[in-house]
């Protein structure tokens, strides 16, 4: 595909530039339309380098979101979501793996198990697809201005591909680094690499915390066994020393799981966790129902009450509007059932 094209063909620089421009142009949907190239070359590339590494299988739409199911070259299936905000700008929620190995017990993707990492092209093509979708669909308007690596998979378990894909968003799609967010549940190796990696794009990092108490976290999120909460806290401090500035903070995502993580002890644990972490935002996220998982969505009243108790403990938070819920495209709801997905 795209990366292969440059490594395998001996193209002069101006040709590379022509191809790059066309490849990321949302108005162009195939080699035939790359009229800057000679016809023979287009025909050759058409056979060797498919324009997209994924094919849309199904699209579902609600007022605020579109969810796409995509087939990859090896038949595996992934999902990706496009959501609109109140200003009319779009955010793509992009997947990084087929399934996920992290097995968080409140997450639909976690129930699939892990199948494989996505390639850089497969990650980038989710964005190219949505850009083309917005460009060609007369019923939707607005700009794709943000991307969150929060779809299927743990992005930092596919570190190199995710990092390179994020550079593509920034370099070739005009998306500012502060408009790109990568989320992680806290995997040790990937997080430690961020601190040392000179080629890491300093995009926003969101930590899917959900449980701030070590015992509880380990019970529901196995990642806490490899990186306990106190080490995660230490990492956050180091991260902010390295990357923190006026525009740069950490985001903590906290799913509201009724009766599981919304009690008085949870407020205390959260408060302890945030001690010494000075630049952060907290998002409280209504959990989206997933069949067969032993959780309940916390009511709005309960969520507001938790928010008030956090505030009393000095922690300001926002309650994130849950987009895409009606098409099972909300946070933690992406799952592909059946053999090909897992
Ligand atoms: S919450 Fe994220 S890391 Fe955990 S199982 Fe789901 S996709 Fe994987």
């Amino acid at each position: 595909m795209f990366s292969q094209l440059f490594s395998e063909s001996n193209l002069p620089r101006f040709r590379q530039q022509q191809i790059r421009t066309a490849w990321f142009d949302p108005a162009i949907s195939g080699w035939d339309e790359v009229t800057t190239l000679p016809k023979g070359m287009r025909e050759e590339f058409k056979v060797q380098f498919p324009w997209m590494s994924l094919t849309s299988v199904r699209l579902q739409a609600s007022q605020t979101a579109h969810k796409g199911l995509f087939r990859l070259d090896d038949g595996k299936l992934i999902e990706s979501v496009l959501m609109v905000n109140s200003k009319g700008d779009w955010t793509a929620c992009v997947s990084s793996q087929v399934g996920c190995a992290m097995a968080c017990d409140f997450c639909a993707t976690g129930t699939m198990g892990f199948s494989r990492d996505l390639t850089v092209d497969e990650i980038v093509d989710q964005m190219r697809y949505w850009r083309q979708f917005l460009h060609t669909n007369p019923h939707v308007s607005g700009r794709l201005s943000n991307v969150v690596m929060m779809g299927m998979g743990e992005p930092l378990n596919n570190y190199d591909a995710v990092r390179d894909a994020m550079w593509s968003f920034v370099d070739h799609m005009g998306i500012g680094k502060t408009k790109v967010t990568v989320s992680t549940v806290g995997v040790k190796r990937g997080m430690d690499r961020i601190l040392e990696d000179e080629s890491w794009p300093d995009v926003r990092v969101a930590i899917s915390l959900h449980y701030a108490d070590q015992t509880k976290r380990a019970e529901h999120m196995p990642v806490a066994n490899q990186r306990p909460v106190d080490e995660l806290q230490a990492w956050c401090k180091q991260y902010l020393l390295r990357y923190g500035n006026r525009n740069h903070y950490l985001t903590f995502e906290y799913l509201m799981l009724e009766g599981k993580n919304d009690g008085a002890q949870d407020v205390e644990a959260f408060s302890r966790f945030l001690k010494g972490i000075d630049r952060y935002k907290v998002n409280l996220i209504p959990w989206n129902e997933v069949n067969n998982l032993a959780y309940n969505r916390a009511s709005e009243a309960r969520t507001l009450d938790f928010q008030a108790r956090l505030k009393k403990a000095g922690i300001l938070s926002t309650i994130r509007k849950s987009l895409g819920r009606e098409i099972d495209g909300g946070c933690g709801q992406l799952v592909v059932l059946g053999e090909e997905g897992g």
Side-chain angles (χ1 to χ4, degrees), residues 33 68 97 110 121 165-166 263 282 286 288:
E33 296 165 36
Q97 298 181 309
D121 289 318
M166 293 194 301
V282 172
N288 294 309

Side-chain angles (χ1 to χ4, degrees), residues 130-320:
W130 288 126
R131 275 160 55 92
Q132 283 182 18
F133 173 83
L134 287 175
H135 184 83
T136 52
N137 195 325
H139 306 295
V140 284
S141 58
R143 225 164 47 90
L144 207 180
S145 56
N146 290 59
V147 51
V148 292
M149 298 292 316
M150 291 186 186
M152 296 166 79
E154 160 54 55
L156 295 188
N157 279 350
N158 187 11
Y159 185 98
D160 294 290
V162 165
R163 179 197 53 203
D164 295 353
M166 293 194 301
W167 274 119
S168 259
F169 306 153
V170 172
D171 288 343
H172 305 306
M173 300 185 191
I175 298 184
K177 286 184 195 162
T178 56
K179 306 282 183 186
V180 179
T181 302
V182 62
S183 87
T184 178
V185 282
V187 294
K188 188 169 165 48
R189 192 157 172 270
M191 290 183 107
D192 290 347
R193 280 186 74 184
I194 290 179
L195 297 180
E196 292 156 9
D197 185 355
E198 293 300 328
S199 61
W200 176 254
D202 52 339
V203 297
R204 293 246 154 94
V205 173
I207 302 202
S208 304
L209 186 66
H210 311 317
Y211 289 94
D213 172 79
Q214 171 60 18
T215 310
K216 279 192 180 188
R217 198 163 200 262
E219 188 185 332
H220 300 286
M221 301 174 72
V223 69
N225 295 313
Q226 57 154 278
R227 166 140 279 176
V229 164
D230 54 349
E231 278 187 29
L232 185 59
Q233 182 193 41
W235 182 91
C236 292
K237 291 177 191 166
Q238 280 177 290
Y239 174 86
L240 289 170
L241 277 178
R242 161 114 205 228
Y243 293 106
N245 59 40
R246 258 173 25 141
N247 296 317
H248 222 96
Y249 49 82
L250 281 166
T251 302
F252 295 102
E253 309 282 3
Y254 199 90
L255 280 169
M256 294 305 302
L257 305 164
E258 189 183 80
K260 303 272 193 183
N261 67 353
D262 58 355
Q265 290 162 310
D266 300 298
V267 174
E268 276 168 34
F270 210 157
S271 175
R272 267 197 312 277
F273 178 81
L274 289 176
K275 226 170 222 130
I277 299 175
D278 52 355
R279 304 200 62 80
Y280 67 84
K281 287 198 172 171
V282 172
N283 279 333
L284 303 179
I285 310 167
W287 183 71
N288 294 309
E289 296 84 354
V290 177
N291 285 342
N292 307 325
L293 295 188
Y295 279 99
N296 289 317
R297 182 187 176 89
S299 66
E300 200 183 334
R302 215 166 156 134
T303 305
L304 286 169
D305 179 55
F306 186 71
Q307 184 181 41
R309 283 181 290 139
L310 283 181
K311 191 172 173 195
K312 230 171 162 184
I315 303 167
L316 295 181
S317 61
T318 45
I319 298 174
R320 200 205 284 161

Side-chain angles (χ1 to χ4, degrees), residues 28-49:
I28 294 183
S29 58
W31 285 111
D32 287 335
E33 296 165 36
V34 190
T35 48
T36 46
L37 299 180
K39 193 156 187 298
M41 192 179 266
R42 280 185 259 156
E43 293 301 325
E44 199 185 306
F45 286 165
K46 215 153 90 181
V47 180
Q48 287 179 34
F49 307 107

